[in-house]
């Protein structure tokens, strides 16, 4: 941070710093792409209630707070919102009362929700009136009664009735007055002032230049020539580059050049530049908060990346340790804004910029909004008021009616719609869970003997695999645990060039684990890499390029092969890696690598990891002979957002190594002895196997199988067969959502398809990721076992019996709720406003500087999720159902601010399940209230396959009563 | 098989009576217009295809092919015109104007065309709504009427010069554009399109290639190409769609006139085809602009208006008509433009470049307007895409233009007999 | 069956498959008939498979009988006394090569795009424009008259402009599409003029027969052709549009700016080489343009930080080298270079979104550390000069700024002035400003 040496300016300096601090929280906090971790895009707003926060944030970011009305109306038409949901929402959120003495307020609101009024005014209205049948026929969507009432007033003559109504509305028109303005208040920047005067948008001049230079500064290894002086920080490097002669064709930069020269001579720090320009632009310190924020949000993706790399330099793809400071960006941007404004206002009267600005005209805003006569006309029809009835009401009451209708603003309507939408989801799933629980209580099924325990990440994508595995092999018990298995480490596999972080995104790991081949040293194909690199770089240069491209004909082979037979090409080009490897996990006191990482774990750390992890998955007794621990990740081609499909608990990494390390520790007899001293007795015949599930191609890989004792080999074979069968079915279940896969494929074909899909260069949807995630179940698997949840639920294992004081639950929720909410909310916002919070369609995405993507040739860095990832998502807030008492949960919420904030402000919904009665209580408005079920039956099916076969879209929950025959 | 004109006239007349009766039954003036346009179309097409002859009028390949196309244009104009602009009086004037202009292209002698020309300018004036549009137009139209009339009497190259001058003013080619440009914005756009786009007034000079001195002809060519270039440039800097389309229209018209005036028979032939087909394409462009304007009250194009989402049909048609008007490959004018280029222009590299530059600029203008109007962030306005009646006639026009572009020889064969006698020269 | 007949038959099949496909899909689109995605995919794949098979047949025939070529007059598009606009094709080695490239790459891009653009609102639009573009390229490849080449040239231009603006809901693609089209138009003037002059001076010129024209007219035409090729090849000073054209979906960027349309310019010159060969001045100009472009593009390309611009400038660099090769008369080399470059660049552009994936793999292969970068200049030049050079490269030699802020700004000011004059004049007569009034 560059502090001003001048004492006198301390006060404005402090104001500036506080404005910057404010902005730091609000710029997008997305990491570079290969460390993509889901987070709540509105993290900075979590102190507010959800409904208010989304509207507030939408104002700050100029985004959409909810889905569009049309989207909710379409959901209503599809049966994803029911009338009872609307009833309930109106009941809760709209005050009762009679409006203008004719209509119940709730009925009015309902009418406005269901019957959109086309926002016509002025010219478009008069065209509409003369060229369509608006004045001859009633609205086509009127209810039977409304239509009958209106027609009755003209003896059944529709045209006459409508004309009569229109005339009455017109007559009232004079007394109605003009509609209230819906214009947004003007922004605080000088650019907004210039735009209001109809001048050129200075951002079109500033942005391309700033993007180029920001891109140059933040480049982590794309450009052949890196930018010089980057160690000085963006501000100084920029000044150094611009303090040069020769600049052609850019007269608008003359002010900037003067500024640069002065700043270099007087050695201004960045903040001094900011203060100077803010003064020149005539902003009073009181406005700085808003100006600084809006200025930085103009290119929010880039600003966010500067801030993110300042906060977490370890997330940079190469450890460049660039000094990135938001103040630098602000200084440059302000200077450029000033320069552009000076140029656009050249030749106008007035000495200073402020004077010239004050002379600018204000263009009248484009007419917008809905004509009031038209609104009344439509409203009367929707409410079934004919011309005579309306005339009887008189202008005053008609006006009151109109005002009440206009008061139901668009945002308000969308918020109501959304409440109804989420309610439908709640009813469907909470009812299903209740009914399923009661079925289990009333007709308990025999507990089969558990021969294998298989743990998965809590990830919603593992729900289907767990369910299918249980169906295929009833002798398997499945468990859910955060996929990092309590381990936070840097890991360098044999395929890696340098260590990758595998651990929760919140912290930087302090341990390093290295994979080594068992036989001999690791043979690196350095020459192969250098050849490839040189060919690649060479093809882009002049003379080498000429030679390389001359031989380019040969790339027709990989090109055709990759496009026509992706799997074959992938197999041919796969790296030849050692198959037998071992992990260096032992700590040596003196062993620190050059980044200060401890190599391996100490014995105490190992014990702690195993104990903690076993507790978190409530696996402290009843160990099966074989425990398979699966981590997960996802590989795909041509996908800049590849890391977004990886394990969230591993900070956007692939969690196989974590499971492997955990299994290794848990198999360690020393560790077991230490655990036994703490009360966890792992039987000697129990063996842990680490593994990895690729959620894109549904491959399941297991590690260190050569070390599995001989007596477990048979069981191992069985579980591998069961997993094979389960993943085939899993592929099939996933395929039902891929629209270009026929519905009648066999499980084998489905597996084949996803394997190809994963390697397909042309496939923008290698998998649908966390699409439709909505639930988080924390409790014994018994409650959710056999419940078809359609890959919508995070599943955490938790046994309240072994955790009487809620200590484990507290740790569990502290981890699961923020992670689940982060994923859920990132999807929520990315689908609600796909181009504002999301990054739009991924088809034009262009990787820049190895850190982010731009749209096409040049744009802001796009944050959030691309459309292809979220297109199937249904935006509902995460609904956590925890098997615990309300008291325990309230206590956890109050003692853990991270969880408490999310719950009490409604960013996640919380319900608790009473194991005795199988009933639910929903946290609502500060307290738990019993959940009353609406549905009395839950469909029962023989198997998942039977339920999902032949369907594409939403599938309600169902209870699965028997198992499928393994074929 | 040949057909006498009289029976055609008889059928057309009785159809008109029928329309009159229909009009009393349901008095929406546009229906009269549409039916009248259909009659002209059907009558014209029949007459052309069957090779009608007439003792009075000169029904040949200059006048006949224009009849159905003018007819379709009329149908389009009345289908798009909003009800509030469709007064019976206006309707009658526009139909009369179309008929007079058609007659103008079929009069056998110059002496007769004089009075028709005056009548045509008078009707043009009448078609404009009173107030500013007429105030601006009358000096221009009076001058055009006067010079045209004088030209028909004078004869010789001076007379020819006057005729050309009259046509230039009537078309509104730079710098005589102000009246027609403001008609596009101050008058209902559909009426302005009816007055400008079909370019019927070129009939005054279209009968034969004009024979001027080489230097005069070159100066005229240079002038028209420059005027077209300027028209294109002005179209790019406009802030409103209708005004921009107006500049585009007069710019293209300068190029058409240049072709028609070409002394070279190939160029002249190209000009004649362009005259007819470009008229149809420009009508289409104008009608889409008019339809959008009557729906919204005017489209600003200083930023992108983003209408493709709400009006995809209009978008596609606008692009099609625009490209057809500038002779993109696959549309009708590609061949005729080629003929113009290979006519007199080929002899003078400088003029050739100027002409091509003007064509090129107009090609750019088409995409510029299309992008500005239809692309960009979607505007949250309520806009209805083409109504069924608009869709039918506009798609028919578009299909015709594409058809003529794929097989231009079909059209050309009709024109050839007229050109062949001229081609026998050296 | 003679080899000429065979060549002609195969050639016509190759050319007319995409023409027919674009026509059918375009008409269906115009009339609002929506085909299923799978059907569109099948039509596209079939079209280009047949076309590719025919092209390979041509190449095989030419290999079997070196030097074979044939000229086919398909139809007299327009015939009037003393002039004819003919649809006349030449099928020989250069035509065969470019046609094969077109069919192969368009076919592969078709295969690529079907899943890539799945569910995209512009899916149908893309598959109308792809065969349209291919049809244009075929006309450029096999057109025997410059008029036919011009028709193809125009079609390619319009298809490019529409594909750049594929994502038309954002402003940048639309703006850049227009910009590319504007550059195309400027250079198209020269091609059209060359076509007319060629017709005028060499009666019935046939590119396949090798038009030769001496003297001033020949030189003019040669220079016009050189100028015409500069637009599509993104030669200096028209380079700026090409990186900006990377706005469309990745496959269209790959095929247009990496592979095919950027080579249309060099191919035109290759085709008219016999004419060019006669005029050292034109060849000199071509070499000079090529050299300047190559230096410009390689220098600017070195500082690009995003993968698509990087590849865009790399493409320009090689296209410029090809121009130089043609200028030097190494036409065989140029043809080979063109082929290799087109395929390689398509492959690289299609892989562009895998950059991170490939980067990790590369780092894994070389065993950690940053892949080496350019250090030659860092060692040789003083820091001040380095910074200077970096800025000039990053700002792309200021050519775009010069064009926008000087040339276009003054033109716009001129026409705005004329417009203001007109408005004032109308206001004086009628008392009303003629800008749009709401009515």
């Amino acid at each position: 941070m560059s502090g001003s040496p001048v004492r006198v300016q301390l006060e404005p300096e402090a104001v500036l710093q506080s404005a910057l601090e404010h902005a730091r929280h609000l710029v997008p906090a997305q990491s570079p792409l290969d460390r993509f971790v889901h987070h709540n895009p509105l993290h900075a707003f979590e102190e507010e209630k959800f409904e208010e926060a989304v509207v507030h944030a939408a104002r700050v970011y100029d985004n959409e707070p909810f889905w569009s009305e049309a989207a909710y109306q379409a959901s209503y038409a599809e049966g994803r919102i029911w009338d009872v949901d609307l009833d309930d929402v109106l009941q809760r959120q709209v005050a009762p009362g009679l409006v203008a003495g004719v209509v119940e307020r709730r009925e009015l609101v309902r009418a406005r929700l269901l019957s959109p009024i086309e926002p016509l005014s002025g010219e478009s209205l008069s065209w509409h009136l003369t060229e369509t049948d608006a004045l001859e026929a009633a609205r086509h969507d009127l209810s039977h009664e409304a239509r009958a009432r209106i027609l009755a007033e003209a003896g059944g003559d529709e045209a006459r009735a409508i004309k009569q109504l229109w005339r009455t509305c017109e007559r009232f028109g004079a007394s109605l007055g003009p509609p209230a303005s819906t214009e947004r208040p003007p922004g605080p920047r000088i650019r907004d002032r210039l735009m209001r005067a109809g001048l050129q948008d200075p951002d079109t001049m500033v942005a391309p230049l700033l993007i180029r230079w920001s891109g140059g500064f933040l480049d982590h290894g794309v450009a052949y020539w890196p930018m010089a002086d980057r160690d000085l920080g963006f501000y100084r490097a920029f000044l150094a580059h611009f303090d040069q002669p020769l600049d052609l064709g850019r007269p608008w930069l003359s002010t900037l050049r003067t500024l640069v020269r002065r700043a270099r001579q007087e050695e201004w720090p960045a903040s001094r530049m900011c203060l100077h320009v803010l003064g020149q632009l005539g902003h009073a310190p009181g406005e700085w908060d808003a100006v600084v924020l809006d200025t930085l949000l103009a290119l929010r993706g880039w600003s966010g990346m500067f801030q993110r790399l300042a906060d977490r330099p370890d997330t940079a793809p190469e450890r460049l340790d660039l000094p990135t400071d938001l103040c630098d960006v602000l200084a440059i941007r302000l200077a450029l804004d000033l320069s552009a404004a000076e140029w656009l206002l050249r030749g106008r009267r007035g000495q200073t910029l402020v004077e010239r600005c004050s002379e600018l005209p204000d263009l009248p805003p484009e007419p917008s909004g809905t004509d009031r006569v038209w609104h009344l006309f439509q409203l009367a029809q929707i409410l079934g008021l004919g011309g005579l009835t309306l005339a009887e009401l008189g202008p005053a009451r008609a006006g009151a009616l109109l005002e009440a209708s206009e008061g139901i603003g668009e945002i308000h309507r969308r918020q109501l719609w959304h409440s109804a939408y989420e309610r439908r989801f709640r009813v469907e799933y909470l009812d299903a869970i209740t009914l399923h629980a009661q079925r289990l209580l009333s007709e308990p099924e025999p507990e089969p003997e558990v021969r294998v325990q298989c743990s998965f990440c809590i990830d919603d994508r593992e729900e289907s695999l767990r369910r299918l595995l249980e169906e295929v092999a009833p002798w398997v018990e499945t468990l859910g645990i955060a996929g990092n298995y309590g381990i936070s480490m840097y890991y360098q596999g044999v395929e890696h060039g340098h260590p990758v972080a595998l651990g929760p995104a919140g912290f930087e790991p302090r341990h390093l684990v290295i994979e080594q081949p068992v036989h001999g040293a690791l043979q690196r194909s350095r020459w192969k890499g250098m050849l490839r690199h040189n060919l690649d770089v060479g093809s882009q240069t002049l003379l080498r390029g000429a030679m390389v491209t001359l031989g380019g004909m040969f790339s027709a082979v990989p090109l055709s092969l990759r496009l026509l037979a992706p799997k074959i090409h992938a197999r041919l080009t796969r790296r030849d890696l050692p198959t037998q490897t071992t992990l260096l996990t032992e700590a040596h006191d003196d062993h620190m690598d050059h980044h200060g990482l401890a190599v391996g774990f100490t014995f105490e750390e190992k014990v702690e990891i195993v104990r903690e992890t076993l507790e978190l998955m409530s696996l402290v007794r009843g160990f099966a002979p074989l425990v398979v621990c699966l981590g997960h990740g996802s590989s795909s081609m041509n996908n800049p957002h590849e890391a977004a499909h990886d394990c969230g608990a591993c900070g956007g990494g692939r969690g196989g190594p974590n499971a492997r390390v955990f299994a290794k520790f848990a198999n360690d007899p020393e560790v077991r002895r230490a655990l036994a001293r703490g009360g966890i007795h792992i039987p000697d015949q129990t063996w842990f196997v680490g593994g990895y599930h690729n959620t894109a191609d549904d491959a399941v890989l297991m590690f260190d199988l050569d070390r599995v004792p001989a007596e477990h080999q048979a069981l191992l074979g069985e579980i591998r067969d069961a997993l094979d069968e389960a993943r085939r079915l899993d592929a099939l279940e996933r395929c039902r959502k891929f629209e270009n896969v026929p519905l009648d494929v066999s499980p084998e074909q489905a597996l084949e398809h996803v394997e190809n899909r994963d390697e397909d260069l042309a496939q923008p949807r290698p998998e649908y990721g966390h699409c439709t995630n909505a639930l988080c179940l924390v409790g014994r698997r018994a409650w959710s076992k056999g419940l078809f949840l359609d890959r919508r639920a995070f599943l955490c294992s938790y046994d309240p019996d072994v955790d009487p004081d809620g200590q484990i639950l507290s740790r569990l929720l502290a981890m699961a709720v923020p992670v689940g909410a982060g994923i859920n909310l990132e999807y929520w916002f990315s689908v609600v406003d796909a181009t504002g919070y999301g990054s739009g369609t991924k088809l034009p995405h262009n990787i820049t500087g190895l850190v982010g993507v731009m749209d096409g040739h040049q744009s802001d860095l796009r944050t959030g999720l691309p459309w292809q990832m979220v297109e199937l998502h249904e935006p509902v807030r995460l609904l956590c159902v925890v098997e615990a008492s309300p008291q325990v949960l309230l206590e956890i919420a109050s003692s853990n601010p991270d969880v408490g904030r999310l719950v009490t402000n409604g960013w996640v919904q919380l319900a608790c399940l009473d194991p005795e009665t199988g009933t639910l209580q929903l946290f609502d408005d500060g307290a738990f209230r019993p959940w009353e079920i609406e549905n009395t039956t839950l469909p029962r099916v023989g198997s998942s396959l039977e339920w999902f076969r032949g369907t594409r879209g939403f599938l309600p929950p169902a209870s699965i009563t028997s198992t499928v025959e393994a074929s | 098989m040949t057909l006498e004109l009289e029976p055609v006239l008889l059928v057309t007349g009785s159809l008109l009576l029928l329309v009159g009766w229909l009009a009393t039954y349901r008095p929406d003036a546009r229906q009269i217009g549409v039916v009248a346009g259909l009659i002209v179309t059907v009558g014209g097409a029949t007459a052309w295809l069957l090779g009608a002859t007439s003792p009075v009028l000169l029904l040949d390949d200059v006048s006949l092919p224009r009849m159905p196309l003018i007819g379709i244009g009329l149908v389009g104009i009345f289908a798009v015109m909003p009800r509030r602009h469709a007064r019976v009086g206006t309707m009658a004037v526009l139909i009369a104007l179309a008929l007079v202009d058609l007659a103008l292209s079929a009069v056998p002698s110059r002496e007769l065309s004089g009075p028709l020309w005056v009548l045509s300018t008078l009707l043009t004036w009448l078609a404009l709504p009173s107030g500013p549009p007429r105030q601006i137009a009358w000096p221009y139209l009076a001058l055009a009427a006067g010079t045209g009339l004088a030209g028909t009497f004078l004869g010789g190259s001076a007379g020819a010069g006057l005729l050309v001058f009259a046509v230039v003013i009537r078309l509104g080619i730079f710098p005589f554009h102000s009246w027609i440009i403001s008609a596009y914005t101050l008058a209902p756009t559909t009426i302005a399109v009816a007055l400008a786009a079909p370019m019927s007034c070129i009939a005054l000079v279209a009968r034969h290639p004009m024979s001027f001195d080489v230097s005069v002809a070159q100066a005229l060519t240079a002038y028209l190409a420059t005027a077209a270039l300027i028209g294109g440039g002005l179209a790019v800097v406009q802030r409103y769609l209708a005004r921009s389309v107006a500049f585009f229209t007069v710019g293209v018209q300068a190029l058409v006139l240049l072709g028609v005036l070409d002394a070279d028979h190939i160029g002249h032939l190209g000009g004649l085809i362009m005259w007819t087909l470009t008229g149809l394409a420009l009508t289409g462009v104008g009608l889409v602009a008019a339809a959008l304007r009557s729906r919204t009250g005017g489209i600003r194009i200083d930023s992108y208006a983003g209408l493709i989402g709400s009006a995809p049909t209009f978008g596609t048609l606008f692009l099609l008509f625009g490209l057809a008007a500038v002779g993109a490959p696959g549309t009708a004018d590609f061949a005729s433009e080629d003929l113009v280029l290979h006519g007199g222009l080929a002899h003078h590299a400088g003029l050739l470049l100027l002409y091509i530059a003007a064509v090129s600029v107009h090609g750019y203008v088409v995409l510029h307007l299309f992008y500005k109007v239809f692309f960009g962030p979607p505007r949250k306005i309520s806009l209805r895409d083409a109504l069924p009646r608009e869709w039918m006639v506009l798609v028919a026009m578009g299909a015709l233009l594409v058809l003529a572009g794929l097989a231009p020889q079909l059209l050309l064969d009709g024109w050839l007999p007229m050109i062949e006698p001229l081609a026998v020269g050296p | 069956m003679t080899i000429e007949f065979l060549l002609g038959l195969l050639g016509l099949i190759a050319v007319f498959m995409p023409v027919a496909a674009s026509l059918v899909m375009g008409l269906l689109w115009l009339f609002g008939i929506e085909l299923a995605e799978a059907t569109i995919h099948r039509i596209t794949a079939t079209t280009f498979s047949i076309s590719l098979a025919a092209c390979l047949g041509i190449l095989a025939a030419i290999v079997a009988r070196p030097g074979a070529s044939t000229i086919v007059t398909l139809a007299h598009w327009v015939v009037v006394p003393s002039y004819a606009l003919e649809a006349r094709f030449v099928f020989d080695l250069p035509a065969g090569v470019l046609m094969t490239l077109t069919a192969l790459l368009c076919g592969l891009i078709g295969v690529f795009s079907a899943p890539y653009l799945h569910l995209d609102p512009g899916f149908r639009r893309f598959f109308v424009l792809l065969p349209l573009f291919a049809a244009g390229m075929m006309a450029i490849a096999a057109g025997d008259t410059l008029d036919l080449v011009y028709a193809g040239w125009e079609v390619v231009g319009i298809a490019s402009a529409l594909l750049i603006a594929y994502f038309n809901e954002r402003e940048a693609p639309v703006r850049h599409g227009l910009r590319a089209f504007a550059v195309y138009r400027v250079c198209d003037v020269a091609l059209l003029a060359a076509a007319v002059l060629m017709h005028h001076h060499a009666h019935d010129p046939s590119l396949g027969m090798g038009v030769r024209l001496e003297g001033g007219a020949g030189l003019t035409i040669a220079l016009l052709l050189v100028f015409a090729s500069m637009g599509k090849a993104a030669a200096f000073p028209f380079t700026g549009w090409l990186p900006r054209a990377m706005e469309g979906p990745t496959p269209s960027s790959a095929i247009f700016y990496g592979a095919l349309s950027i080579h249309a310019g060099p191919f035109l010159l290759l085709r008219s080489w016999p004419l060019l060969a006669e005029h050292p001045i034109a060849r000199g100009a071509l070499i000079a343009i090529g050299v300047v472009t190559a230096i410009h593009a390689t220098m600017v390309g070195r500082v690009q930080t995003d993968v698509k611009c990087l590849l865009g400038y790399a493409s320009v660099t090689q296209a410029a080298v090809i121009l130089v090769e043609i200028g030097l008369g190494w036409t065989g080399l140029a043809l080979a270079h063109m082929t290799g470059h087109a395929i390689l660049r398509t492959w690289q552009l299609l892989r562009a979104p895998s950059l991170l994936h490939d980067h990790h793999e590369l780092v894994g292969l070389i065993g950690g550390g940053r892949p080496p970068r350019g250090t030659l200049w860092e060692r040789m030049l003083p820091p001040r000069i380095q910074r200077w050079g970096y800025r000039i490269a990053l700002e792309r030699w200021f050519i775009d700024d010069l064009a926008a802020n000087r040339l276009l700004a003054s033109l716009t000011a001129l026409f705005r002035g004329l417009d203001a004059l007109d408005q004032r004049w109308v206001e004086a007569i009628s008392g009303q400003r003629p800008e749009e009034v709401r009515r």
Side-chain angles (χ1 to χ4, degrees), chain C residues 173-357:
Chain C
V174 182
R175 212 170 43 234
H176 296 153
L178 263 186
R179 185 191 185 113
F181 192 66
V183 172
Y184 282 177
R185 292 309 293 185
V186 170
C187 296
D188 289 357
V189 171
L191 182 59
L192 189 52
V196 176
L197 289 178
M198 188 102 106
H199 235 293
H200 190 64
H201 290 284
H203 195 67
D204 195 23
S206 160
L207 291 173
M209 309 286 280
V211 196
R212 284 162 213 274
L213 264 181
E214 286 166 19
L219 179 61
T220 312
I221 295 173
L223 286 174
L224 283 173
L225 287 176
V226 169
F227 186 78
S229 71
M230 288 168 69
K232 290 252 184 336
F236 190 84
F238 299 117
T239 323
W241 71 265
L242 190 122
R244 285 183 173 75
M246 299 289 178
E247 294 282 7
T250 308
S252 76
S253 302
I255 196 161
F256 281 70
Y257 318 114
L260 292 176
S261 105
I262 194 172
H263 292 129
F267 185 82
L268 176 70
L269 297 175
L270 207 63
R271 195 30 114 196
S272 42
W273 167 247
L275 175 70
L276 221 55
E278 312 256 323
H279 301 283
I281 299 180
R283 289 170 63 187
L286 181 60
I287 294 171
I289 290 165
V291 168
V292 174
T293 307
I295 293 173
H296 167 74
T298 193
M299 179 166 165
V300 176
R302 275 159 198 251
V303 300
Q304 296 307 310
T305 56
D306 62 283
V307 57
K308 286 191 183 174
C309 282
L310 184 77
L311 291 172
Y313 275 103
S315 288
V316 180
T317 311
Q318 293 310 312
V321 174
I322 295 173
L323 287 182
V324 174
E325 288 163 358
I326 296 173
L328 292 171
W330 304 339
T331 49
L333 178 71
L335 195 62
H337 195 168
M338 211 183 271
T339 314
H341 181 226
I343 298 174
L344 177 68
R345 212 57 90 193
T346 304
W347 174 226
Q348 286 181 332
L349 267 161
L350 288 186
R351 275 192 84 96
S354 302
L355 180 72
L356 287 170
H357 193 99

Side-chain angles (χ1 to χ4, degrees), chain A residues 33-46:
Chain A
L33 278 179
D34 52 5
R35 289 289 297 277
F36 192 101
V37 181
H38 293 290
H39 72 294
N40 177 7
L42 262 51
H43 183 71
F45 294 84
E46 279 175 8

